Amino acid sequence: MKPCPASNPMRLFLHPNGTTPDRRRTAFQAVETLSQHFDCVVAPENASWLDISACKSGGPEDCDMICAIGGDGTILHAAIPAIRTGKPLFGINMGHRGYLCAFHRDELPALDEQRLSALVPSPRTLLGFSWHGEERFAVNDIIIAKGEFGTTVTVSAQEEKNTIGQWQGDGIIVATPTGSSGYNASAGGPLLTPDCGCFVLNPLCPVAHNGNAIIYPDVHTLSLRAKTRDAQPDAQVYVDGTLLGPLEHALSLHRYERTLTLLIRA
């Protein structure tokens, strides 16, 4: 009787953080360990510095999962191919916090297919918006902030012709349920459960006393406008911590048509 052929190992698309030499060293060690248990694929731009023969160079299309190796910032970057391809995403925290990561670096040697199969999918809603004619999304938050220290910016939010609120201060955070535990929480905003179906609008250091955060259903489209005083530099738009540029026109926010499948522990 012929022996049964071994099943194909789980294929992972690895998204490591290689922004500094120290992070590259830790990422290299993690990828080296993972490649001993899984069929690993990395993007061509990462394959060049990882230089690990056990990893293939390619994309996530034919992989089972996407694995972010870093922290929450790496999760946000890895979310782009995960959302584009519909692949589930999990993270291995190589740093300090890593709230969105399923595992810590100390667990790497024991990581196997059984532990990955035990992860639970957690669908995460996204903020959609149009920027210079291109449809984009935010996993955590969109921030409209004043362009210069020492001045203020006035931000107004509308749904169709109804004004939801107007705030003068340092700006405003619009956070998803996933992002509610980030900058929004640091600014005193409420925490949202991933399945709540809403966003939170949280003004930053409002001048008036009506600066309470607003939880708003994500079935509506919101339009944000901003104006500054005394011809100061324009209000700036940040998406998941990355500066996009000045807000020149109204910014329309809505629930993005796709979701992120984040893998978490049960």
Side-chain angles (χ1 to χ4, degrees), residues 16-180:
N17 184 344
T19 54
T20 67
D22 184 56
R23 288 168 179 166
R24 287 192 175 196
R25 281 192 295 271
T26 57
F28 179 89
Q29 295 168 0
V31 173
E32 194 173 38
T33 301
L34 289 170
S35 63
Q36 296 173 12
H37 302 281
F38 303 97
D39 184 8
C40 295
V41 178
V42 294
E45 61 269 23
N46 290 324
S48 60
W49 60 267
L50 281 169
D51 192 25
I52 296 179
S53 57
C55 283
K56 302 179 179 67
S57 176
E61 290 77 12
D62 296 326
C63 295
D64 300 300
M65 301 178 182
I66 295 179
C67 172
I69 303 173
D72 289 339
T74 311
I75 286 275
L76 296 180
H77 288 291
I80 297 174
I83 294 165
R84 176 176 57 84
T85 60
K87 301 294 182 179
L89 168 67
F90 74 96
I92 301 175
N93 179 25
M94 307 298 288
H96 301 288
R97 295 181 177 86
Y99 296 121
L100 301 177
C101 296
F103 301 103
H104 188 265
R105 61 189 299 178
D106 296 339
E107 300 176 278
L108 266 169
L111 202 58
D112 56 18
E113 292 194 15
Q114 183 177 1
R115 297 195 70 185
L116 290 191
S117 299
L119 295 177
V120 177
S122 176
R124 303 300 177 103
T125 55
L126 311 168
L127 266 171
F129 66 102
S130 179
W131 188 258
H132 296 301
E134 180 184 356
E135 184 70 10
R136 299 194 181 194
F137 63 84
V139 178
N140 264 359
D141 48 41
I142 295 175
I143 297 167
I144 298 177
K146 61 184 184 181
E148 186 173 281
F149 185 79
T151 186
T152 60
V153 60
T154 300
V155 180
S156 61
Q158 289 184 315
E159 184 215 335
E160 295 183 349
K161 296 182 179 181
N162 299 319
T163 299
I164 305 303
Q166 181 170 289
W167 308 270
Q168 180 185 355
D170 286 353
I172 193 170
I173 305 169
V174 184
T176 65
T178 300
S180 68

Side-chain angles (χ1 to χ4, degrees), residues 224-249:
L224 299 182
R225 291 175 171 83
K227 61 180 180 179
T228 54
R229 296 192 308 166
D230 304 325
Q232 294 293 336
D234 292 332
Q236 302 295 312
V237 179
Y238 296 82
V239 176
D240 287 340
T242 299
L243 174 63
L244 286 191
L247 180 60
E248 299 172 348
H249 308 286

